[in-house]
Amino acid sequence: PASASEKIVNTLDTLKNQLTASGKEVFIYELLQNANDYPQKVNGKKIPVDVEFHITDKYLIFQHSGDYFDAKNIAAICSINDKEKTDNVEAIGYKGIGFKTVFLDNNYVLLKTGAYSFRFDYEKTKNIDDTPWQILPIWTDDNEVDDEVLDIMDNADKKFRVQIALRPTEAAILHDREQNYEELFADVFETERVILFIPFINSVSVYINGDDEPIIVKKENDKWC
């Protein structure tokens, strides 16, 4: 019903604003947390997760080597305050709401993992009043995805089982505007301190406009108590 949709839209706006009140960089931590909470397991042992960010002309692309999302993971992302992580004592994102911070600057979010390929897309539903587009998945085939995104996702190492593309409402925020993503990511990943207390994150690489030499932070536990 329209009244229920309107409440959901207002709730999502409130969550997004409150979660990012302390700083715009919070959505980066939420993406890292998402990667941390789904490590791949081999013989019952959790494998450290590697993360890549790519800042292109129109997109921020995030991919990690954690496990493929299953149906429960997908359902949690397409919901609000899902309890999918509640019983997992090692999961940081127990509230199930942090992923919604990706909609702070973005009106298009594409997720590819395993057999799933879908997007949240404001433009697709903008003509429907009070539509909670942030939780309405739209199945998306490769022929509907920009080459700028596919070039990175298709050529990525096969270990990257989860891939997410974020398209800002205003592309200038990636490179040109004050407090742009280039500067934001350089500040956040100036040292490896940012990943010290995210237990299953092993390394983060940030590529800007296809640079061959990314910003890289990696855990070196012998340097820290």
Side-chain angles (χ1 to χ4, degrees):
S3 59
S5 293
E6 184 177 2
K7 289 179 181 178
I8 292 173
V9 170
N10 292 336
T11 298
L12 287 167
D13 285 342
T14 299
L15 286 174
K16 179 181 67 177
N17 293 331
Q18 289 188 352
L19 285 168
T20 57
S22 61
K24 184 165 286 190
E25 70 278 2
V26 169
F27 86 94
I28 301 174
Y29 305 140
E30 293 292 349
L31 288 173
L32 293 176
Q33 166 189 298
N34 188 273
N36 172 86
D37 290 351
Y38 300 107
Q40 189 188 27
K41 295 180 182 178
V42 176
N43 296 324
K45 182 180 179 181
K46 295 181 178 180
I47 306 302
V49 177
D50 293 317
V51 172
E52 280 189 0
F53 290 97
H54 294 258
I55 303 175
T56 68
D57 286 340
K58 295 189 296 183
Y59 290 88
L60 170 65
I61 297 169
F62 164 74
Q63 49 193 16
H64 69 74
S65 65
D67 209 352
Y68 295 112
F69 283 13
D70 60 21
K72 289 179 66 178
N73 305 146
I74 297 295
I77 278 182
C78 301
S79 183
I80 304 172
N81 201 23
D82 189 280
K83 301 302 182 184
E84 182 249 339
K85 295 182 183 179
T86 302
D87 296 330
N88 181 0
V89 296
E90 293 184 323
I92 300 173
Y94 67 94
K95 294 185 182 69
I97 57 177
F99 183 79
K100 302 303 182 286
T101 59
V102 299
F103 299 116
L104 176 65
D105 295 316
N106 308 288
N107 60 9
Y108 173 105
V109 176
L110 170 74
L111 172 63
K112 291 171 67 71
T113 178
Y116 296 95
S117 178
F118 63 91
R119 72 186 189 275
F120 303 99
D121 189 350
Y122 168 75
E123 291 294 326
K124 190 75 173 178
T125 59
K126 67 180 181 181
N127 294 323
I128 307 173
D129 292 339
D130 296 322
T131 299
W133 63 274
Q134 301 97 326
I135 57 173
L136 291 178
I138 301 170
W139 189 263
T140 305
D141 294 317
D142 281 358
N143 60 8
E144 301 174 83
V145 180
D146 283 356
D147 290 341
E148 187 176 323
V149 174
L150 291 179
D151 285 346
I152 291 174
M153 290 187 171
D154 290 350
N155 291 309
D157 192 302
K158 297 302 181 185
K159 71 180 181 179
F160 293 115
R161 300 171 184 84
V162 178
Q163 300 174 302
I164 299 174
L166 314 175
R167 188 175 67 204
T169 308
E170 298 180 22
I173 198 170
L174 293 168
H175 305 283
D176 303 322
R177 185 194 289 178
E178 186 178 351
Q179 294 183 322
N180 61 66
Y181 280 15
E182 276 193 39
E183 296 173 355
L184 181 65
F185 276 74
D187 289 342
V188 169
F189 296 109
E190 185 177 6
T191 74
E192 70 272 26
R193 288 187 182 91
V194 70
I195 62 173
L196 282 182
F197 297 102
I198 309 179
F200 298 115
I201 296 294
N202 177 58
S203 69
V204 176
S205 301
V206 181
Y207 294 84
I208 299 174
N209 280 339
D211 287 348
D212 292 331
E213 296 186 11
I215 300 169
I216 299 176
V217 293
K218 188 172 183 178
K219 277 184 183 167
E220 297 181 51
N221 291 332
D222 57 331
K223 294 172 59 177
W224 302 89
C225 293

